[in-house]
Amino acid sequence: DGGITQSPKYLFRKEGQNVTLSCEQNLNHDAMYWYRQDPGQGLRLIYYSQIVNDFQKGDIAEGYSVSREKKESFPLTVTSAQKNPTAFYLCASSIGGRWEKLFFGSGTQLSVL
Amino acid sequence: GQQLNQSPQSMFIQEGEDVSMNCTSSSIFNTWLWYKQDPGEGPVLLIALYKAGELTSNGRLTAQFGITRKDSFLNISASIPSDVGIYFCAGRGLSFGAGTTVTVRA
């Protein structure tokens, strides 16, 4: 079955540590996205990529980095520069560009130790 | 991203009730999308709207694309317990509202 897989489901970060969240899709979608969700708030866009080897900053990119070396994969690194990393992170993909409907993974909950 | 305002922020439903929520924007959108998120999961697309005035149903859900293209409405008829969750509106695929949390009234 096609879908988007995020791993791990739960992740803990120590102070000063970089952590990487995995996102893989087998939907053959061109575009992939990373969102951050805080309790009681909407989804805020971190980064998005419309084609391999290209990505753009979203509204809250500071303290995060991404890569898009393969169409299927769009990992997100939460760097030590992100001072408030505790949140629920959602990866999504779509067939077309930013106006197309999104298919989401089941999310990764990141917490700081 | 564009600012989308959803209301109400939260609501309690009783089984069998019809409920409504809406989303407004200061900008014109060409697409309105409604998603539902269950706890600890990613949002799932419920309905997509592409034309001003469009009224689209998905089972007990009905959504409308406002004539002004600055708002959209979602109605749930005959609520059931599994309707609980957070409902998000989105425009242009990248701008999301803060969500309407639906809870079952005891």
Side-chain angles (χ1 to χ4, degrees), chain A residues 9-10 37 88 106, chain B residues 36-42 82 84-86 102:
Chain A
K9 183 65 176 177
Y10 300 95
Q37 184 177 24
F88 191 54
S106 57
Chain B
K36 183 194 176 202
Q37 184 180 31
D38 291 325
E41 297 295 329
S82 62
V84 302
I86 305 175
V102 175

Side-chain angles (χ1 to χ4, degrees), chain A residues 14-31:
Chain A
K14 295 180 181 179
E15 291 288 336
Q17 188 181 45
N18 293 351
V19 292
T20 297
L21 284 61
S22 170
C23 179
E24 303 278 332
Q25 56 101 356
N26 60 3
L27 299 168
N28 199 33
H29 285 175
D30 297 308

Side-chain angles (χ1 to χ4, degrees), chain A residues 5-67:
Chain A
T5 302
Q6 288 188 242
S7 61
K9 183 65 176 177
Y10 300 95
L11 187 59
F12 297 91
R13 193 192 90 167
K14 295 180 181 179
E15 291 288 336
Q17 188 181 45
N18 293 351
V19 292
T20 297
L21 284 61
S22 170
C23 179
E24 303 278 332
Q25 56 101 356
N26 60 3
L27 299 168
N28 199 33
H29 285 175
D30 297 308
M32 296 186 74
Y33 313 78
W34 274 105
Y35 286 88
R36 170 178 171 141
Q37 184 177 24
D38 294 283
Q41 298 189 33
L43 281 60
R44 293 185 289 168
L45 182 65
I46 305 172
Y47 270 98
Y48 66 100
S49 167
Q50 294 183 295
I51 56 173
V52 174
N53 292 323
D54 187 48
F55 46 83
Q56 286 77 43
K57 293 181 179 180
D59 299 323
I60 56 166
E62 187 174 348
Y64 300 97
S65 66
V66 294
S67 62

Side-chain angles (χ1 to χ4, degrees), chain B residues 51-62:
Chain B
K51 188 187 301 184
E54 180 181 354
L55 188 70
T56 299
S57 293
N58 178 7
R60 295 177 295 103
L61 306 175
T62 302

Side-chain angles (χ1 to χ4, degrees), chain A residues 9 33 35 37 40-43 45 48 59 88 90 97-107, chain B residues 1 9 31 33 35 37 40-45 48 50 86 88 92-99:
Chain A
K9 183 65 176 177
Y33 313 78
Y35 286 88
Q37 184 177 24
Q41 298 189 33
L43 281 60
L45 182 65
Y48 66 100
D59 299 323
F88 191 54
L90 287 160
R98 53 191 295 166
W99 53 86
E100 294 289 340
K101 51 193 177 185
L102 304 177
F103 292 80
F104 283 89
S106 57
Chain B
Q9 188 175 11
T31 303
L33 305 158
Y35 292 85
Q37 184 180 31
E41 297 295 329
V44 174
L45 182 67
Y50 299 104
I86 305 175
F88 291 103
R92 290 194 180 141
L94 292 184
S95 303
F96 281 81

